[in-house]
Amino acid sequence: MSRKFDLKGIIFDYGGTIDTNSRHWAEVLWEKYQLFQVPVTKEAFREAYVHGERTLARQPLVKPEHNFLEVLQIKTRIQIEYLVEKGLLDRNDAAEKAYASHIADSCYRYVLDVLERTRPVVRELASHYRLVLVSNFYGNIQTILKDFQLADYFSEIVESSVVGVRKPDPAIYRLGVEAMGFPAEQVLVVGDSFSKDMVPAKAVGCKVAWLKGEGWGNEEIDESLPDIILTDLSDLLSYVL
């Protein structure tokens, strides 16, 4: 593919791509809710998840110095508190069984395991291409990347909370292309979300590689749009090296 498209650089999404290798974070969290036998329905969990994401988008609860374990602790605390306040979970039971902290710890260990597979892919690509990260995040992505030994591989970071624009707005990918310094047609975007990564990246003229996996389940998909469809990040190497 690199010869066919004269590929010069790769833009990576972060969440759901590098840290979970194609699994939507809602699905990772729900798996842990089940593991620790939190007595709520998936529908109730999804409400709590959406509430948590909206809360973090409105309130600067995540600080630049927070690592990912601390982000997960904040997320799960908001979710569990929502479920309690809505009468969907008993407060004493939630406190006694420490659902929030157990889920956060387990999710963090999950990411550490996934990174054993995805970090070598990023490292290998960084030795051949200029890499830029474009992510909807909370202002602490630099801390996250350092914590996970990924910071050295990216030439530039475009983070939504810093630049003031969020996916799926194509403008954030336009910023990524500008940070890359190559024409859009020479840039490949790799991401797990069809609507937030593939569609806007294609709209600004990039090539796109869709990491297709366990998604949120509410996207309209056109599999003719991506230039590459992957089910594991490591599969990308055979296309571009």
Side-chain angles (χ1 to χ4, degrees):
M1 176 186 160
S2 57
R3 289 190 298 273
K4 179 181 177 184
F5 293 116
D6 188 25
L7 191 64
K8 296 289 181 64
I10 300 175
I11 292 177
F12 270 96
D13 167 54
Y14 178 72
T17 299
I18 295 173
D19 61 355
T20 70
N21 198 15
S22 83
R23 294 187 72 196
H24 192 287
W25 261 103
E27 296 300 332
V28 176
L29 282 157
W30 174 241
E31 179 183 275
K32 302 306 182 183
Y33 270 66
Q34 293 176 296
L35 175 66
F36 293 104
Q37 300 181 327
V38 184
V40 296
T41 65
K42 190 170 186 180
E43 181 182 4
F45 159 73
R46 284 171 73 103
E47 286 181 21
Y49 176 84
V50 171
H51 168 77
E53 294 305 300
R54 289 175 177 168
T55 299
L56 291 178
R58 289 194 313 268
Q59 302 177 29
L61 300 175
V62 175
K63 306 303 181 185
E65 66 274 12
H66 282 157
N67 66 23
F68 196 54
L69 177 58
E70 291 167 320
V71 172
L72 287 166
Q73 289 168 341
I74 293 167
K75 280 177 177 274
T76 54
R77 187 168 64 244
I78 293 170
Q79 291 166 13
I80 294 297
E81 186 60 30
Y82 174 88
L83 292 166
V84 168
E85 288 179 356
K86 291 294 182 180
L88 300 168
L89 187 62
D90 180 76
R91 182 177 298 277
N92 293 331
D93 188 48
E96 180 185 341
K97 295 182 178 175
Y99 290 133
S101 62
H102 286 317
I103 291 167
D105 289 346
S106 187
C107 284
Y108 188 73
R109 290 194 300 272
Y110 174 85
V111 170
L112 292 177
D113 288 342
V114 172
L115 286 170
E116 291 301 308
R117 186 172 183 84
T118 59
R119 189 189 298 107
V121 176
V122 176
R123 181 173 62 238
E124 179 66 18
L125 291 171
S127 68
H128 295 272
Y129 296 99
R130 179 174 169 86
L131 303 187
V132 169
L133 192 78
V134 173
S135 178
N136 283 355
F137 224 77
Y138 310 109
N140 67 324
I141 194 67
Q142 299 276 8
T143 301
I144 302 295
L145 296 177
K146 289 174 185 173
D147 185 30
F148 290 147
Q149 296 88 52
L150 290 164
D152 293 343
Y153 304 131
F154 294 98
S155 302
E156 299 286 344
I157 307 294
V158 179
E159 185 178 8
S160 60
S161 59
V162 175
V163 300
V165 60
R166 291 176 61 82
K167 305 173 188 180
D169 189 334
I172 195 169
Y173 274 112
R174 208 167 288 120
L175 291 172
V177 171
E178 291 172 8
M180 178 68 71
F182 299 124
E185 60 268 21
Q186 294 182 324
V187 176
L188 176 70
V189 170
V190 183
D192 69 299
S193 172
F194 192 87
S195 60
K196 292 182 179 179
D197 297 314
M198 300 299 96
V199 173
K202 199 75 168 180
V204 302
C206 296
K207 302 298 182 286
V208 297
W210 182 32
L211 185 58
K212 179 183 177 181
E214 195 175 0
W216 185 232
N218 61 346
E219 294 186 308
E220 289 188 19
I221 305 298
D222 174 7
E223 292 198 358
S224 70
L225 184 143
D227 298 280
I228 300 171
I229 297 178
L230 312 166
T231 55
D232 188 285
L233 195 61
S234 63
D235 295 340
L236 182 61
L237 298 178
S238 66
Y239 287 95
V240 300
L241 298 183

